[in-house]
Each structure stands twice: as structure tokens, then as C-alpha cells.
Amino acid sequence: MTPMDESPLVSTAWLQANFDAPDIRLVDATWYLDAATRETSARAAFDAEHIPGAVFFDIDEIRDHTTDLPHMMPSTVSISSKVRKMGLGDGNRLVIYDRNSFMASARVWWMFRVLGQEEVFVLDGGLDAWIEAGGAVTDELTIPVERHFTPRVRGDLIRDLDQMATAINNPAKTILDARPSGRFTGEAPEPRAGLPSGHMPGARNIPAASLIAEDGRMKSPEALAQIFEGISGRIITTCGSGVTAATLALALATVGHDDVAVFDGSWAEWASNQSYPIETGAGAHGGG
């Protein structure tokens, strides 16, 4: 059975009903934006409490270490090796979750999609929703059994700097920026030292926080459809470092836009190069 009629989200009820299915694999992708605490806090939280059977996926560790950019997709060989050792591979249905509003379960969902994994989903509401629904948690760590993983890279789901330089001049491309509005307009500073705020020419601002309901779940498809009303063309999402851009891609996938690309380097890459234009203000299509 496919979760929730092809939605990229699964409910806690679905996971409870399918928890013992032999092909289900759980992945805890919790990551904290606060640089002062995230090095130990996410892993410590996982070690203390997680869904039984889950393995921990650290986007600070599973990335391209040859660049100073924070969350670049690693080489196919590198990530495939790490995924295999985590016991995630061919024939599995992956359910990704976190404990803080899709930060960064959506990013890991997108990474697996770039690798060609079709049966990958995100637990709506994450660990909090699971616990609220009476789901079990444990501090016992799973010892994974290595499993073969065959990558089938989807280049259509990822964009690099050169492609974005072309996209800003292409009216058939729609660039959506998931950062908070103040950073998009240039009125608030970037959290990364030395980076100016502002946005790419022609981009539209849809803050990732606007997609999440008060209970930590994704807003309803009807509410999301209203947020995305009028958006068309080939959609590319961006943010500060490629994390909340994936939240935006996940939300778009829930309303039928399942081919959205993510600018991997996002603002961290664009704004660090003075040869690329930066605009301020609400943007060509309006803010919010």
C-alpha cells in the first residue's frame, strides 16, 4: 500500500498501522538551526529518545566536505556508502521524521529523491505527533545491517550556481525563497557572518514557517494550494543553505508539484559571490 494516496507525507496513524511491515525503515533527521548547540543536541536528543528502529541521519556529517558551503549534496559514491551502512537500501520504504517542524526531515527526503528513491516519505508532525498519538519511543540504538543501495540520480531535482544564474533570466522558471521575509527583503541580517541579505532577481518569498500549522504538521492541501496560488512554470526553491528550501519543495509536492528542484547552495553560495546580482525589497512577485 502506498501512503496517503501518493502524498509525500504519512500520518502517525498510517505509520502505526504499518509499523511492523518488513520493508519500512525509519530515519531521524533532526537538526537544529542554532549553531551554538546543534553539534551535540540533535544527536543527544536522538540517543535519549527516538522511534524504535530508527537510525540517525546527520546533514552536518552527510554532506560534501570539500566545500565550505554548509549542506551541499555529497558525491553519489560517498552518500551511497553511508546510506548502505545505515541499513537503508533497495526495496525499502523510508519514513523520515524529526522533532522540529520538518527541520531537516524535508532535506533528507529531498536527498533520497535526488538519489532516485521513490518510496520515501516524511512523518507529518514528526516525533511530537508520534508521541501525542501514543507511539512508542526508546533510547535503545539500532545496529543496522548493511543493505545494497542503487542510486539513480535525478538531476532534474537539483540546481547549481551556474544553472541559477541562467534561471533568473528565464521567465519559464519560478524561483521561490523559503527564508523569513526580513532576510528576503534585505531588512534583516543573515545569520551567516559576512553575507548580505536580499534575494535573487525575480524570486518570490514564501517563508517555510508559513507552511506549518500550529500543531507542527504541514498545513492542509487546501491551505497550501491557496499559498501557492498563481505559481506556475518550472519551480526552483532556495533558502539560506538548502534546508528549508526542501520544506518548500515538500509542501509543493503535497499539492501535485512533485518535480520541484532545489538550489543546493542556496543563499550561502549565491550571496558569497559578488558577481551575482542581489535585489532588496518585496521582489518581482511580491513578498510573503
Side-chain angles (χ1 to χ4, degrees), residues 26-31 55-60 62 73 79 83 86 88 94-98 102-115 117 120-122 242-243 246-247 250:
L26 294 164
V27 180
D28 187 315
T30 301
W31 177 83
V55 294
F56 185 65
F57 191 115
D58 184 354
I59 64 169
D60 280 335
I62 303 178
M73 187 80 174
I79 191 171
V83 165
M86 294 169 72
L88 312 174
L94 307 182
V95 178
I96 321 296
Y97 74 89
D98 58 41
F102 304 97
M103 184 84 73
S105 55
R107 170 75 185 187
V108 176
W109 165 82
W110 170 79
M111 292 173 76
F112 275 107
R113 293 195 72 219
V114 171
L115 293 171
Q117 179 76 21
V120 55
F121 308 93
V122 175
V243 178
T247 305
L250 176 67

Coordinates of all heavy atoms in Angstrom, one line a residue, residues 26-31 55-60 62 73 79 83 86 88 94-98 102-115 117 120-122 242-243 246-247 250:
L26 N 12.9 3.6 9.3 CA 12.7 4.9 9.9 C 14.0 5.6 10.1 O 15.0 5.0 10.5 CB 12.1 4.7 11.3 CG 10.7 4.1 11.3 CD1 10.3 3.6 12.7 CD2 9.7 5.1 10.8
V27 N 14.0 6.9 9.8 CA 15.2 7.8 9.8 C 14.9 9.0 10.6 O 14.0 9.8 10.2 CB 15.6 8.1 8.4 CG1 16.9 9.0 8.4 CG2 15.9 6.9 7.5
D28 N 15.6 9.3 11.6 CA 15.5 10.5 12.4 C 16.5 11.5 11.8 O 17.7 11.3 11.9 CB 15.9 10.2 13.9 CG 15.6 11.4 14.8 OD1 16.0 12.5 14.4 OD2 15.0 11.2 15.9
A29 N 16.0 12.6 11.3 CA 16.8 13.6 10.6 C 16.9 14.9 11.4 O 17.1 16.0 10.8 CB 16.3 13.9 9.2
T30 N 16.6 14.9 12.7 CA 16.6 16.1 13.5 C 17.9 16.9 13.3 O 19.0 16.4 13.4 CB 16.3 15.8 15.0 OG1 15.1 15.1 15.1 CG2 16.3 17.1 15.8
W31 N 17.7 18.2 13.1 CA 18.8 19.2 13.0 C 18.4 20.5 13.5 O 17.2 20.9 13.3 CB 19.2 19.3 11.5 CG 20.4 20.3 11.3 CD1 21.7 20.0 11.4 CD2 20.2 21.6 10.8 NE1 22.4 21.2 11.1 CE2 21.5 22.1 10.7 CE3 19.1 22.4 10.4 CZ2 21.8 23.4 10.2 CZ3 19.4 23.7 10.0 CH2 20.7 24.2 9.9
V55 N 17.2 5.1 12.6 CA 18.7 5.4 12.6 C 18.8 6.9 12.4 O 17.8 7.6 12.0 CB 19.4 4.7 11.4 CG1 19.4 3.2 11.6 CG2 18.7 5.0 10.0
F56 N 19.9 7.5 12.8 CA 20.1 8.9 12.8 C 20.8 9.4 11.5 O 21.9 8.8 11.2 CB 20.9 9.3 14.0 CG 21.0 10.8 14.2 CD1 19.9 11.6 14.4 CD2 22.3 11.4 14.1 CE1 20.1 13.0 14.6 CE2 22.4 12.8 14.3 CZ 21.3 13.6 14.5
F57 N 20.3 10.3 10.8 CA 20.9 10.9 9.6 C 21.3 12.4 9.9 O 20.4 13.2 10.2 CB 19.8 10.9 8.5 CG 20.4 11.2 7.1 CD1 20.4 10.2 6.1 CD2 20.9 12.4 6.8 CE1 20.9 10.5 4.9 CE2 21.4 12.7 5.5 CZ 21.4 11.7 4.6
D58 N 22.6 12.6 9.9 CA 23.1 13.9 10.3 C 23.5 14.7 9.1 O 24.5 14.4 8.4 CB 24.3 13.7 11.2 CG 24.9 15.1 11.8 OD1 24.4 16.1 11.4 OD2 25.8 15.0 12.6
I59 N 22.7 15.8 8.7 CA 23.0 16.5 7.5 C 24.3 17.3 7.6 O 24.9 17.8 6.6 CB 21.9 17.4 7.1 CG1 21.6 18.5 8.1 CG2 20.6 16.6 6.7 CD1 20.6 19.6 7.6
D60 N 24.8 17.5 8.8 CA 26.1 18.2 9.0 C 27.2 17.2 8.7 O 28.4 17.7 8.4 CB 26.2 18.8 10.4 CG 25.5 20.1 10.6 OD1 25.3 20.8 9.6 OD2 25.2 20.4 11.7
I62 N 26.7 14.1 6.7 CA 26.5 13.6 5.4 C 26.3 14.7 4.4 O 25.2 15.1 4.1 CB 25.3 12.6 5.4 CG1 25.5 11.5 6.4 CG2 25.1 12.0 4.0 CD1 24.4 10.5 6.5
M73 N 25.1 18.7 -1.3 CA 24.9 17.2 -1.6 C 26.2 16.6 -1.8 O 27.0 17.0 -2.6 CB 24.0 17.1 -2.8 CG 23.6 15.7 -3.1 SD 22.2 15.2 -2.1 CE 21.8 13.5 -2.8
I79 N 27.6 9.3 -0.5 CA 26.3 9.2 0.2 C 25.8 7.8 0.1 O 25.2 7.2 1.1 CB 25.3 10.2 -0.3 CG1 24.1 10.2 0.7 CG2 24.9 10.0 -1.7 CD1 23.1 11.4 0.4
V83 N 24.6 5.5 3.3 CA 23.3 5.0 3.3 C 23.2 3.5 3.5 O 22.5 3.0 4.3 CB 22.5 5.5 2.1 CG1 21.2 4.7 1.9 CG2 22.2 7.0 2.1
M86 N 23.9 2.5 6.9 CA 22.7 2.8 7.8 C 21.6 1.7 7.7 O 20.6 1.8 8.3 CB 22.2 4.2 7.5 CG 23.2 5.3 7.9 SD 22.6 6.9 7.2 CE 21.3 7.2 8.3
L88 N 19.8 1.2 4.9 CA 18.8 1.8 4.0 C 19.2 1.4 2.6 O 20.2 1.8 2.1 CB 18.7 3.3 4.2 CG 18.6 3.8 5.6 CD1 18.7 5.3 5.7 CD2 17.4 3.2 6.3
L94 N 11.1 4.3 3.0 CA 11.7 5.1 4.0 C 10.8 6.1 4.6 O 10.1 6.8 3.8 CB 13.0 5.9 3.5 CG 14.0 5.0 2.7 CD1 15.1 5.9 2.3 CD2 14.5 3.9 3.6
V95 N 10.7 6.2 5.9 CA 9.9 7.3 6.6 C 10.9 8.1 7.4 O 11.5 7.7 8.3 CB 8.8 6.7 7.5 CG1 8.1 7.8 8.2 CG2 7.9 5.8 6.7
I96 N 10.9 9.4 7.0 CA 11.9 10.3 7.6 C 11.1 11.2 8.6 O 9.9 11.6 8.3 CB 12.5 11.3 6.6 CG1 12.9 10.5 5.3 CG2 13.7 12.0 7.1 CD1 13.9 9.4 5.4
Y97 N 11.7 11.5 9.7 CA 11.0 12.3 10.7 C 12.0 13.2 11.4 O 13.2 13.0 11.3 CB 10.2 11.5 11.7 CG 11.0 10.8 12.8 CD1 11.3 11.4 14.0 CD2 11.4 9.5 12.6 CE1 12.1 10.8 14.9 CE2 12.1 8.8 13.5 CZ 12.5 9.5 14.7 OH 13.2 8.8 15.6
D98 N 11.5 14.2 12.1 CA 12.4 15.0 13.0 C 11.5 15.4 14.2 O 10.4 15.0 14.3 CB 13.1 16.2 12.3 CG 12.1 17.1 11.6 OD1 11.0 17.4 12.3 OD2 12.3 17.6 10.5
F102 N 9.9 19.8 10.4 CA 10.5 19.4 9.1 C 11.9 19.9 9.0 O 12.4 20.0 7.9 CB 9.6 19.9 8.0 CG 8.2 19.5 8.1 CD1 7.2 20.2 8.7 CD2 7.8 18.2 7.6 CE1 5.9 19.8 8.7 CE2 6.5 17.7 7.7 CZ 5.5 18.5 8.3
M103 N 12.6 20.2 10.1 CA 14.0 20.7 10.1 C 14.9 19.6 10.6 O 15.0 19.5 11.8 CB 14.1 21.9 10.9 CG 15.5 22.6 10.9 SD 15.8 23.7 9.6 CE 14.7 25.1 10.1
A104 N 15.4 18.6 9.8 CA 15.5 18.7 8.4 C 15.1 17.4 7.7 O 15.7 16.9 6.8 CB 17.0 18.9 8.1
S105 N 13.9 16.9 8.2 CA 13.4 15.7 7.5 C 13.1 16.0 6.1 O 13.2 15.1 5.2 CB 12.1 15.3 8.3 OG 11.1 16.3 8.3
A106 N 12.6 17.2 5.7 CA 12.3 17.5 4.3 C 13.6 17.5 3.5 O 13.6 17.0 2.3 CB 11.7 18.9 4.2
R107 N 14.7 18.0 4.1 CA 16.0 18.0 3.4 C 16.4 16.5 3.1 O 16.9 16.2 1.9 CB 17.1 18.7 4.2 CG 18.5 18.6 3.7 CD 18.8 19.4 2.5 NE 20.1 19.1 1.9 CZ 20.7 19.8 1.0 NH1 20.0 20.9 0.4 NH2 21.9 19.5 0.5
V108 N 16.3 15.7 4.0 CA 16.7 14.3 3.8 C 15.8 13.6 2.9 O 16.2 12.8 2.0 CB 16.8 13.5 5.2 CG1 17.1 12.0 5.0 CG2 17.9 14.2 6.1
W109 N 14.5 13.9 2.9 CA 13.5 13.4 1.9 C 14.0 13.8 0.5 O 14.0 12.9 -0.4 CB 12.1 13.9 2.2 CG 11.1 13.8 1.2 CD1 10.3 12.8 0.9 CD2 10.7 14.9 0.2 NE1 9.5 13.1 -0.2 CE2 9.7 14.3 -0.6 CE3 11.2 16.2 0.0 CZ2 9.1 15.1 -1.6 CZ3 10.6 16.9 -1.0 CH2 9.6 16.4 -1.8
W110 N 14.3 15.0 0.4 CA 14.8 15.5 -0.9 C 16.1 14.8 -1.4 O 16.2 14.4 -2.5 CB 15.0 17.0 -0.9 CG 15.6 17.6 -2.1 CD1 15.1 17.8 -3.4 CD2 17.0 18.0 -2.2 NE1 16.0 18.3 -4.2 CE2 17.2 18.4 -3.6 CE3 18.1 18.0 -1.3 CZ2 18.5 18.9 -4.0 CZ3 19.3 18.4 -1.8 CH2 19.5 18.9 -3.1
M111 N 17.0 14.6 -0.5 CA 18.3 14.0 -0.8 C 18.1 12.6 -1.3 O 18.7 12.2 -2.3 CB 19.2 14.0 0.4 CG 19.7 15.3 0.8 SD 20.6 15.3 2.4 CE 22.2 14.6 1.9
F112 N 17.2 11.8 -0.7 CA 16.9 10.5 -1.2 C 16.2 10.5 -2.5 O 16.4 9.7 -3.4 CB 16.1 9.7 -0.2 CG 16.9 9.1 0.9 CD1 16.9 9.5 2.2 CD2 17.6 7.9 0.6 CE1 17.7 8.9 3.2 CE2 18.4 7.3 1.6 CZ 18.4 7.8 2.9
R113 N 15.3 11.5 -2.7 CA 14.7 11.7 -4.0 C 15.7 12.0 -5.1 O 15.6 11.4 -6.3 CB 13.6 12.8 -4.0 CG 12.4 12.4 -3.1 CD 11.3 13.4 -3.4 NE 10.7 13.0 -4.7 CZ 10.2 13.9 -5.6 NH1 10.3 15.2 -5.3 NH2 9.7 13.6 -6.7
V114 N 16.7 12.8 -4.8 CA 17.8 13.1 -5.8 C 18.5 11.8 -6.2 O 18.9 11.6 -7.3 CB 18.7 14.1 -5.2 CG1 20.0 14.3 -6.1 CG2 18.1 15.5 -5.1
L115 N 18.6 10.9 -5.2 CA 19.3 9.6 -5.4 C 18.4 8.6 -6.1 O 18.8 7.5 -6.4 CB 19.8 9.0 -4.1 CG 20.9 9.8 -3.4 CD1 21.1 9.2 -2.0 CD2 22.2 9.8 -4.2
Q117 N 15.4 7.5 -5.0 CA 14.5 6.7 -4.2 C 13.1 7.2 -4.3 O 12.7 8.4 -4.1 CB 14.9 6.9 -2.7 CG 14.1 6.1 -1.7 CD 14.3 4.6 -1.7 OE1 15.4 4.2 -2.1 NE2 13.4 3.9 -1.2
V120 N 9.9 7.2 -0.5 CA 10.5 7.9 0.6 C 9.4 9.0 1.0 O 8.8 9.7 0.2 CB 11.8 8.6 0.3 CG1 11.7 9.5 -0.9 CG2 12.3 9.4 1.5
F121 N 9.1 9.0 2.3 CA 8.0 9.8 2.9 C 8.5 10.5 4.2 O 9.5 10.2 4.8 CB 6.8 9.0 3.2 CG 6.4 8.1 2.0 CD1 6.9 6.8 1.8 CD2 5.6 8.6 1.0 CE1 6.6 6.0 0.7 CE2 5.3 7.9 -0.1 CZ 5.7 6.6 -0.2
V122 N 7.7 11.5 4.5 CA 8.0 12.3 5.8 C 6.8 12.1 6.7 O 5.7 12.2 6.3 CB 8.2 13.8 5.4 CG1 8.4 14.6 6.7 CG2 9.5 14.0 4.5
G242 N 19.8 25.5 1.9 CA 19.3 24.3 1.2 C 18.4 23.5 2.1 O 18.0 22.4 1.7
V243 N 18.2 23.9 3.4 CA 17.4 23.1 4.3 C 15.9 23.4 4.2 O 15.1 22.5 3.8 CB 17.9 23.3 5.7 CG1 17.0 22.4 6.7 CG2 19.3 22.8 5.9
A246 N 14.0 22.7 1.0 CA 13.4 21.4 0.8 C 12.0 21.3 1.5 O 11.2 20.5 1.0 CB 14.4 20.3 1.4
T247 N 11.8 22.0 2.6 CA 10.5 22.1 3.2 C 9.5 22.7 2.2 O 8.4 22.2 2.1 CB 10.5 23.0 4.5 OG1 11.5 22.5 5.4 CG2 9.1 23.0 5.2
L250 N 8.8 20.0 -0.3 CA 7.9 19.0 0.2 C 6.4 19.5 0.2 O 5.5 18.8 -0.2 CB 8.3 18.7 1.6 CG 7.5 17.7 2.4 CD1 7.5 16.3 1.8 CD2 7.9 17.7 3.9

